[in-house]
Amino acid sequence: MTVDEGRRITITAIAQEAGVSVPTVSRVLNGRNDVAPQTRERVEELLRRHGYRRRATRPRAGASLVDLIFNDLDSPWAVEIIRGVEDVAHASGVGTVVSAIHRRSTSTRQWLQNLRTRATDGVILVASDLAPPVHAELRRLNVPMVLVDPAGVPSLDIPTIGATNWAGGLRATEHLLSLGHRRIGFIAGPPRLLCSRARLDGYRAALDAAGIPLRDELILPGDFYHESGFSGGSALLDLDEPPTAIFASSDQMAFGAYEAVRRRGLRVPDDVSVVGFDDLPEARWASPPLTTVRQPLAEMGILAARTVLRLAQGEPLDTPRVELSTDLVVRDSSAPYPRR
C-alpha cells in the first residue's frame, strides 16, 4: 500500500493491510494486552511505517463488542447458545449484542448499518445463510465472523462450529431399532438447513444398515417447532399402519408429537415411543422425560465466542471446521416393542 504525501492514513487502511479488524488496531493503539504478540508487532510496524498519528479526539466510549445474530429468537435452543457466548464474553470483558433478522432483507440492512456505527469486534451468525452481499460488506469492514450450524455450505474462509448431526440421527434410530421397532416415523427439520439434512441421512443410514426399506409415508416435514411436531405426529398416527415409534429431529417437535399421541387417547411410551434431538433443559422435566440426542448448544456458543475473539486478536485457528459430539440420552419416552 502506498500513501500519498500529506494524506492521513486511517485505522481502517492499517487494518486492511495488516489483515485484522479495526478494533484490533484500536487495541494496539490503546496499549491493550489482549492482542497476539505477532499481530501487535505487525500492526505497530505498519503504524510506524506510515507515520500514523492519533487524532486529538476522545476515544469511543464503551467496551469491546461481539454481535450474535439469529434468524429468530423464539426457540429455547437460541437461549442455550446465547448463554455459552455470554459466559465467554463476560469473562473477557466483552459486551454482546444479540439481534434477530427474521430472514428479511430490511432487517439485514438495518443490522449492517448498526454494525458500521458500533465497530464490533466480531460477528457470530447462527443457522444462517451468509448472503454474498453480507459477506462482502463484512469483509470490507474487516469484521471477523464465525458461523454456528450454517444453513448452507459455507465459504472456505469462514470458520464454522457445528455438531455431529448425522451421527446423532443414526444413533437415535439405532436405539429404536434395538428396542424392536421396525416402523419408525421421522419428522424432519427445514430442508434448507444442513443439520436437518444430516439428521435425516442418519435415520436413513440406520434403516438401511438394518435392512429395513425406507418408506416415504413415514417421513413428514417439519420446522423444528411444536406445531409441526404436532401436525407431523398426527399425520403419522392417522396412517392405516401407524409407526410404533417417532423420531422427531428437534425436542420441540417431539413435544408436539407427545400432544398428538395424547389426543388420540394413546400414551408415550406404552403405545408409541418418541425420541427427540437437542436435549433442551425441559426434556428431562417432560412427562414422560424425553429420550433425545444431546446437542452441546451452550458449548457451541462457548467455542464460537472463543473463536471470534481469537480472530479479532489476529490469532491463527487450529482448524476452521469444528464438529462437537452428540450423545444419546435415554430416558422414559422410549420402550421395547412389541410390548408385553
Side-chain angles (χ1 to χ4, degrees), residues 1-254:
M1 182 179 75
T2 61
V3 182
D4 296 332
E5 186 176 355
R7 179 177 153 210
R8 175 181 287 275
I9 187 68
T10 65
I11 289 181
T12 300
I14 294 290
Q16 288 174 341
E17 187 170 354
V20 299
S21 68
V22 171
T24 296
V25 178
S26 295
R27 281 195 288 268
V28 173
L29 285 167
N30 292 324
R32 294 263 297 271
N33 59 9
D34 53 348
V35 179
Q38 290 181 335
T39 301
R40 178 184 299 280
E41 183 178 338
R42 185 166 69 251
V43 171
E44 288 178 341
E45 194 279 327
L46 288 170
L47 291 169
R48 287 192 299 269
R49 184 197 308 172
H50 296 302
Y52 179 84
R53 287 177 298 185
R54 296 183 61 177
R55 292 188 180 96
T57 57
R58 237 177 115 184
R60 177 174 65 91
S64 300
L65 296 173
V66 167
D67 274 72
L68 178 57
I69 310 301
F70 294 86
N71 282 322
D72 296 290
L73 286 170
D74 54 349
S75 171
W77 64 262
V79 175
E80 291 300 295
I81 292 176
I82 292 171
R83 185 164 61 83
V85 172
E86 276 286 313
D87 284 349
V88 174
H90 178 74
S92 304
V94 175
T96 306
V97 179
V98 181
S99 304
I101 57 177
H102 305 291
R103 305 187 190 96
R104 293 195 299 261
S105 60
T106 53
S107 298
T108 302
R109 286 196 299 270
Q110 183 61 52
W111 167 65
L112 283 172
Q113 180 59 40
N114 293 339
L115 198 69
R116 295 184 193 102
T117 60
R118 63 174 168 259
T120 188
D121 284 61
V123 172
I124 300 171
L125 296 111
V126 182
S128 297
D129 284 311
L130 192 59
V134 176
H135 187 182
E137 179 63 10
L138 291 175
R139 284 294 176 212
R140 190 187 71 79
L141 295 170
N142 287 308
V143 175
M145 58 190 129
V146 174
L147 294 178
V148 175
D149 253 355
V153 178
S155 173
L156 293 176
D157 63 343
I158 304 174
T160 62
I161 310 295
T164 54
N165 290 287
W166 183 88
L170 179 80
R171 185 70 186 89
T173 310
E174 287 178 338
H175 169 67
L176 292 170
L177 290 168
S178 73
L179 294 174
H181 297 279
R182 294 298 178 266
R183 282 185 64 80
I184 302 172
F186 183 82
I187 307 176
R192 69 182 184 84
L193 297 180
L194 282 176
C195 62
S196 299
R197 301 197 295 272
R199 294 171 197 179
L200 175 57
D201 287 344
Y203 162 82
R204 288 170 169 156
L207 293 181
D208 182 65
I212 297 174
L214 185 71
R215 301 191 181 280
D216 291 339
E217 73 271 15
L218 291 179
I219 301 175
L220 274 294
D223 60 9
F224 286 161
Y225 292 96
H226 294 86
E227 292 81 0
S228 64
F230 174 75
S231 60
S234 298
L236 288 169
L237 295 173
D238 287 342
L239 292 172
D240 291 339
E241 190 180 353
T244 62
I246 296 173
F247 172 25
S249 53
S250 80
D251 284 356
Q252 290 190 86
M253 292 196 300

